[in-house]
C-alpha cells in the first residue's frame, strides 16, 4: 500500500481510503489499480449529485437560464464556482490531463467491477450557501476580490509537486494559511465536508468500500469517521441574518431623514445632498458595469437604478443591469459551449457573454455599495454643515 492509501476497520466494514490530488495522472492510475485489485462492494467518491451530473453531461451549460440565475440571486455563487473550477483546470491543463480524472476513473472502475457507486459529498450549492451565510460583509468583499485576483494567476505547478502535496504537509500548510484569512471558509469547505463524507462512506452498502477523496480531506475524515455525524444538520442552510436587513433599512431611513431635514432648513443644501447621492451611487455602479465591459444600456441602467436600489435592502442595481445585459447581449450557444475553456483566462472571462453578465451583476453591486458609503458620508457632511456650519 502506498502512503496515500489508508485501511480503516469499522466493525464488520473495511474502508479503503484513497487520498488523491484532483489534477494528478498518478492519482487516477492508482484509483484504477486499487479498485480492480480490491473488488469492493461500493465505491464512494467526493462528488455530489449536481457535480456528478455535470461531469456526465458535457452540454450542461447550454441549458443554463442566465436570467433565472440572476433572479434567484445566485450570480455570485455561479461566478465563484466558475473561478474556482478555472484554477483547477489551469493546473490540469499544464500537466496535460482532465481535471477530476481520478473521479471519472473511479466511476468507470465501479461500473466495470460491478461495485455500487456512492456520491458521498455534500451538495456544492449547500456548501457555497453556508460559506456565504457565515461571512461578514467585509469577509464577502475580501473573498470576492481574492477570487477575482486568482483569474490573473499564472501559477505553474509540476506533477511531482502535486505528488509531494499528497503527503499532506503542503496541504496542511495551505489550509492553515487559508484559515488565517477565512476561518469560516476552512470550517465549511473542509471540516464540515470531512464529517459529511465520513458518514456517507460509513453508510455505503457492503462490507468492503473504496473511498476516493482529495488528500486534504484524509486527516479530518479519519477522525470524523470514528463518530456518528448528523447529515441533516450539516446540510442545513442557515437562515439569512436579520441584522443585515435591519442595518440596511436603518441606513436608508437615516439618509432619507437627513435629506428631508436639510431641505426644510436649506433647500439648496438638500438638493446638493440629493445630487451627491445620485452621482456617487449611479457613477460607481455604472463604473463597475463598465469594468465588466457591459453594454451601454446596462451601464445606463446601473446609473439610473443604483441611487434607488441603495435605499432598499430588497433591491440591487446589479440585478437590473445584469438582466438588461442578458437581454441586449443574449448569450449564444457558442458562449455556453466555450465556457469551460474561456474561464481558464482573464480575457476569456470578459469575452464570454455568460461570465460577462455575471460580472456585470457583481461589479455593479460592488460599485453601488461603495457609492452608498461615499454618498452617505457626503449627505452627513452637508447636513452637519447646514445645521452647525
Amino acid at each position: 500500500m502506498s502512503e496515500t492509501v489508508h485501511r480503516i476497520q469499522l466493525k464488520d466494514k473495511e474502508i479503503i481510503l484513497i487520498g488523491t490530488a484532483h489534477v494528478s495522472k498518478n492519482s487516477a492510475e492508482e484509483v484504477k489499480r486499487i479498485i480492480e485489485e480490491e473488488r469492493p462492494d461500493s465505491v464512494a467518491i467526493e462528488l455530489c449529485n449536481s457535480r456528478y451530473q455535470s461531469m456526465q453531461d458535457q452540454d450542461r451549460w447550454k441549458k443554463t437560464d442566465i436570467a433565472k440565475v440572476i433572479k434567484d440571486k445566485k450570480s455570485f455563487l455561479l461566478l465563484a464556482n466558475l473561478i474556482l473550477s478555472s484554477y483547477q483546470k489551469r493546473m490540469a491543463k499544464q500537466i496535460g490531463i482532465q481535471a477530476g480524472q481520478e473521479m471519472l476513473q473511479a466511476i468507470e472502475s465501479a461500473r466495470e467491477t460491478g461495485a455500487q457507486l456512492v456520491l458521498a459529498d455534500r451538495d456544492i450549492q449547500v456548501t457555497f450557501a453556508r460559506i456565504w451565510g457565515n461571512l461578514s460583509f467585509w469577509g464577502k468583499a475580501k473573498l470576492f476580490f481574492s477570487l477575482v485576483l486568482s483569474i490573473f494567476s499564472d501559477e505553474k505547478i509540476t506533477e511531482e509537486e502535486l505528488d509531494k502535496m499528497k503527503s499532506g504537509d503542503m496541504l496542511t500548510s495551505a489550509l492553515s494559511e487559508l484559515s488565517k484569512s477565512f476561518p469560516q471558509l476552512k470550517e465549511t469547505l473542509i471540516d464540515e465536508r470531512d464529517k459529511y463524507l465520513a458518514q456517507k462512506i460509513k453508510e455505503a452498502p457492503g462490507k468492503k468500500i473504496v473511498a476516493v477523496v482529495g488528500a486534504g480531506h484524509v486527516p479530518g475524515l479519519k477522525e470524523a469517521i470514528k463518530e456518528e455525524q448528523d447529515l441533516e444538520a450539516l446540510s442545513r442552510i442557515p437562515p439569512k441574518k436579520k441584522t443585515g436587513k435591519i442595518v440596511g433599512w436603518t441606513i436608508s431611513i437615516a439618509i432619507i431623514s437627513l435629506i428631508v431635514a436639510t431641505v426644510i432648513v436649506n433647500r439648496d443644501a438638500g438638493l446638493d445632498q440629493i445630487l451627491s447621492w445620485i452621482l456617487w451611487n449611479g457613477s460607481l455602479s455604472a463604473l463597475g458595469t463598465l469594468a465588466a465591459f457591459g453594454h451601454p444600456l446596462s451601464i445606463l441602467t446601473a446609473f439610473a437604478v443604483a441611487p434607488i436600489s441603495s435605499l432598499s435592502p430588497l433591491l440591487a442595481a446589479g440585478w437590473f443591469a445584469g438582466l438588461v445585459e442578458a437581454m441586449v447581449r443574449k448569450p449564444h450557444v457558442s458562449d455556453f459551449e466555450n465556457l469551460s475553456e474561456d474561464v481558464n483566462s482573464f480575457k476569456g472571462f470578459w469575452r464570454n457573454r455568460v461570465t460577462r453578465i455575471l460580472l456585470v451583476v457583481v461589479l455593479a453591486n460592488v460599485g453601488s455599495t461603495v457609492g452608498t458609503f461615499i454618498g452617505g458620508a457626503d449627505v452627513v457632511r452637508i447636513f452637519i454643515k447646514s445645521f452647525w456650519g
Side-chain angles (χ1 to χ4, degrees):
M1 281 288 169
S2 71
E3 60 182 10
T4 60
V5 180
H6 311 264
R7 287 187 182 271
I8 302 171
Q9 194 68 40
L10 287 177
K11 297 180 180 179
D12 62 340
K13 283 194 174 187
E14 181 184 17
I15 298 171
I16 301 161
L17 194 61
I18 307 175
T20 70
H22 290 311
V23 290
S24 172
K25 187 184 299 182
N26 292 345
S27 288
E29 293 170 352
E30 186 172 56
V31 166
K32 176 179 172 64
R33 176 180 59 79
I34 290 175
I35 292 176
E36 290 177 350
E37 289 177 358
E38 297 292 340
R39 314 291 295 189
D41 299 305
S42 296
V43 173
I45 58 177
E46 188 196 325
L47 286 179
C48 61
N49 185 61
S50 60
R51 282 185 292 155
Y52 171 77
Q53 295 298 333
S54 294
M55 294 182 80
Q56 298 299 300
D57 182 7
Q58 297 300 316
D59 294 331
R60 66 194 183 279
W61 294 116
K62 299 177 188 178
K63 305 169 187 175
T64 303
D65 185 343
I66 197 68
K68 188 174 187 301
V69 170
I70 296 171
K71 291 174 182 176
D72 290 346
K73 306 176 186 178
K74 293 182 178 179
S75 300
F76 178 81
L77 294 180
L78 179 55
L79 184 61
N81 195 7
L82 289 170
I83 293 173
L84 290 171
S85 66
S86 74
Y87 177 76
Q88 191 180 88
K89 287 177 181 177
R90 284 202 302 272
M91 288 197 296
K93 191 173 182 179
Q94 290 171 24
I95 299 170
I97 66 168
Q98 183 177 357
Q101 187 171 325
E102 84 288 8
M103 296 298 165
L104 290 170
Q105 183 60 62
I107 294 168
E108 182 181 342
S109 295
R111 289 172 181 163
E112 290 176 352
T113 59
Q116 182 164 335
L117 185 68
V118 176
L119 304 177
D121 203 1
R122 181 173 63 186
D123 186 271
I124 186 67
Q125 293 298 332
V126 173
T127 297
F128 276 145
R130 286 178 69 88
I131 288 173
W132 196 245
N134 289 326
L135 285 174
S136 65
F137 171 80
W138 294 114
K140 290 174 182 176
K142 188 176 180 182
L143 175 59
F144 169 70
F145 285 110
S146 296
L147 290 172
V148 170
L149 288 174
S150 73
I151 302 174
F152 295 90
S153 174
D154 59 352
E155 180 180 353
K156 302 293 181 182
I157 188 166
T158 65
E159 191 163 3
E160 288 74 22
E161 287 174 322
L162 282 170
D163 286 335
K164 290 178 183 177
M165 287 173 68
K166 288 164 63 180
S167 67
D169 293 335
M170 288 181 69
L171 282 174
T172 302
S173 175
L175 291 175
S176 296
E177 288 299 314
L178 185 66
S179 65
K180 291 177 184 177
S181 300
F182 302 104
Q184 302 96 327
L185 189 62
K186 177 185 177 296
E187 179 183 351
T188 310
L189 191 59
I190 305 296
D191 299 343
E192 289 183 0
R193 288 174 56 229
D194 286 346
K195 296 175 182 178
Y196 193 97
L197 286 163
Q199 190 63 30
K200 292 288 284 187
I201 291 168
K202 282 198 297 186
E203 293 177 357
K207 293 189 175 181
K208 181 182 281 191
I209 302 154
V210 167
V212 183
V213 300
H217 289 291
V218 172
L221 202 155
K222 287 172 72 176
E223 289 299 316
I225 209 165
K226 297 174 184 176
E227 301 175 2
E228 289 298 309
Q229 307 296 336
D230 187 344
L231 294 181
E232 184 179 349
L234 291 169
S235 300
R236 193 176 299 128
I237 297 176
K240 291 185 178 180
K241 298 176 182 177
K242 294 181 179 180
T243 308
K245 284 188 177 181
I246 293 173
V247 171
W249 282 117
T250 301
I251 292 174
S252 300
I253 293 170
I255 292 295
I256 294 172
S257 300
L258 289 175
I259 292 175
V260 170
T262 305
V263 168
I264 293 172
V265 174
N266 186 332
R267 183 173 177 273
D268 290 339
L271 292 176
D272 287 342
Q273 286 178 316
I274 294 172
L275 182 61
S276 176
W277 178 260
I278 292 173
L279 288 178
W280 279 115
N281 272 272
S283 298
L284 290 179
S285 186
L287 184 62
T289 308
L290 178 63
F293 294 166
H295 188 277
L297 284 177
S298 304
I299 296 171
L300 185 61
T301 299
F303 181 87
V305 173
I308 301 170
S309 64
S310 294
L311 293 173
S312 172
L314 303 178
L315 301 174
W319 303 345
F320 295 92
L323 287 172
V324 170
E325 184 72 22
M327 287 189 290
V328 297
R329 285 177 172 166
K330 189 174 181 180
H332 301 143
V333 172
S334 60
D335 290 305
F336 290 102
E337 290 176 337
N338 298 331
L339 192 55
S340 60
E341 187 64 30
D342 285 343
V343 296
N344 291 329
S345 68
F346 174 80
K347 182 179 179 181
F349 253 98
W350 264 256
R351 179 183 59 201
N352 190 290
R353 292 189 175 200
V354 176
T355 45
R356 187 164 54 202
I357 290 169
L358 298 176
L359 287 166
V360 164
V361 175
V362 173
L363 293 181
N365 283 339
V366 170
S368 179
T369 300
V370 175
T372 297
F373 283 104
I374 299 177
D378 204 36
V379 167
V380 173
R381 180 187 65 79
I382 296 173
F383 172 80
I384 294 173
K385 184 179 179 181
S386 299
F387 279 83
W388 293 285

